[in-house]
Amino acid sequence: MKRVRTFLLTVLFATSGFIASAQTVQTLVFFNATNGAQPYAALTLGNDGNFYGTTCYGGTNALGGNNGNGTVFKMTTNGSLTTLVSFNGTNGTAPVSALTLGSDGNFYGTTSAGGTNRSAFNGTAFKVTTNGTLTTLVSFNGSNGSDPVAALTPGNDGNFYGTTYYGGNMSLNNGNGYGTVFQVTTDGTLTRLYSFTNGPDCRWPEAGLTLGTDGNFYGMTTGGNSSSGKTYPYGTVFRVTTNGTLTTLVSFNVTNGSNPFPTLTPGNDGNFYGTTENGGSNNVGTVFKVTTNGTLTTLVSFNGHNGANPTSALTLGTDGNFYGTTDAGVSRGTVFMVTTNGTLTTLASFNGSNGEYPNALTLGTDGNFYGTTQGEFQGGGRNRFGTVFRLILAPVITVQPQNQTNDSGLTELFTVTATSYNPMSYQWQKNGTNLVDGGNISGSATNTLTITGISDSDAACYSVIVTNAFGSVTNFATLT
């Protein structure tokens, strides 16, 4: 190649990067107690394109200083909310889990308290139609479980499977039990499959069950009894068959995480992915991968700056990445994306005015994520009863161009890698002016810009704009 003149080409790339500012948190609903208060769970997408969810408190019984017993609601994608059910205690109190869409088009769920056996923590399993007709299927009584705080999971046999935080063997834990795994039919026949003992099986299954491709269910317990000197006080991952045979696969030990609260999420690779609220190298939580035989890999240890204390399940995106939330960090919660090899990108953060303490995300048919924030019931501000939000996802740049130095006359490639739920377009610019292919320029509308036969006239500030229907993000490189 003929060299016109020898000079150094130094490529300087922006490394600040994280495109959190490109993502917009749009508040759709501010709960006000009468229409619900403090949603603790993710939304569920219905067959009609609307979202359905629960609030732990509020409803028509939230008058005169009463916190209310919670609600079931429907919400359109533009934020129009309809309260379908206001719980009254007898039919349940304090639903803290997401609804599950049944094959019959109805929703199934649990309340953590209330029911006909109204002790402090017993609870119910229920069915609710899209127009708000509620049927109580089970009132827990302690021996068959109590305090169900996780969503129901449909099995291959047409039944639902779940966990209760307390109950089961009532001779343990001062008559409260350590939790159960159960099966319930669509007509309300309940079978207790397993009772936890606070032995190697640990205790307190706060997470729901996840159906594996092998037909078994996988779940987690929150923690065991550290005061007795046992080696498994920090939670477990377990496998349980439909006939109640339970196998402990992982015992958390702080280093690899501790206190896993949310349900496991299956990945496209056949593994499960999840989070722990605490533990990891900074003791503020982790993201992990676990195989069906119990091999656990810590993918992320949160450090506060990128979030802290994740307590909600991960959501698998159509791009193969996982999306999740944290409760804390430098803000009042974050939304993040994490790849299967552990590369984490913070997408958005909450500051109180746009919500606080976000729950798990649900992907809408429009390509955006929807979620809820819990709020602070005793706090101030418009959001103190919680919100529903939409996360508008502009493209996210995951791999920036690398710094390079080259001589004149050579060919230079600038490549950017981005991810998006919607079709993306690329536009490279030189000193703020759009480039077009021609001369020594090619790929001006792709993710790779090629400049051949570099000369002095190519020295400039180059930028790439990546755009989808919901926004754009820019990265730049300077050639000197």
Side-chain angles (χ1 to χ4, degrees), residues 44-52 74-78 364-365 370:
T44 301
L45 185 62
N47 292 329
D48 55 4
N50 296 314
F51 292 97
Y52 293 78
K74 174 177 72 173
M75 187 200 75
T76 65
T77 54
N78 65 5
T365 56
Y370 292 76

Side-chain angles (χ1 to χ4, degrees), residues 196-419:
F196 290 88
T197 66
N198 198 28
D201 60 352
C202 209
R203 66 178 177 180
W204 299 338
E206 186 159 338
L209 302 172
T210 301
L211 181 62
T213 56
D214 57 4
N216 297 314
F217 291 93
Y218 292 78
M220 297 191 286
T221 60
T222 300
N225 189 346
S226 59
S227 63
S228 64
K230 296 176 180 178
T231 58
Y232 36 80
Y234 303 108
T236 66
V237 178
F238 64 83
R239 177 177 61 227
V240 62
T241 66
T242 55
N243 63 7
T245 300
L246 187 139
T247 304
T248 299
L249 301 175
V250 175
S251 292
F252 289 98
N253 58 20
V254 179
T255 301
N256 64 358
S258 67
N259 311 119
F261 285 99
T263 302
L264 294 166
T265 302
N268 294 327
D269 55 4
N271 298 313
F272 295 101
Y273 292 77
T275 62
T276 63
E277 182 186 26
N278 301 307
S281 56
N282 303 295
N283 202 28
V284 290
T286 70
V287 177
F288 65 86
K289 172 178 71 176
V290 62
T291 66
T292 54
N293 63 6
T295 301
L296 186 136
T297 304
T298 302
L299 299 176
V300 175
S301 283
F302 289 96
N303 58 25
H305 297 289
N306 62 358
N309 309 123
T311 59
S312 297
L314 300 170
T315 300
L316 179 62
T318 56
D319 56 1
N321 297 316
F322 291 91
Y323 294 78
T325 63
T326 66
D327 277 358
V330 295
S331 59
R332 299 185 183 182
T334 68
V335 178
F336 63 85
M337 177 183 72
V338 61
T339 65
T340 54
N341 63 6
T343 300
L344 185 137
T345 302
T346 302
L347 300 177
S349 60
F350 292 87
N351 56 24
S353 62
N354 65 350
E356 51 193 329
Y357 314 129
N359 301 305
L361 302 169
T362 301
L363 182 63
T365 56
D366 58 359
N368 293 314
F369 283 104
Y370 292 76
T372 59
T373 65
Q374 297 174 21
E376 277 284 6
F377 199 74
Q378 302 302 322
R382 190 181 178 191
N383 74 315
R384 69 190 182 107
F385 296 115
T387 68
V388 181
F389 66 89
R390 174 167 51 207
L391 181 68
I392 299 176
L393 285 175
V396 174
I397 292 177
T398 56
V399 179
Q400 301 176 20
Q402 297 299 304
N403 293 336
Q404 301 180 46
T405 301
N406 287 286
D407 292 334
S408 65
L410 298 182
T411 296
E412 189 65 78
L413 304 178
F414 303 137
T415 299
V416 64
T417 302
T419 183

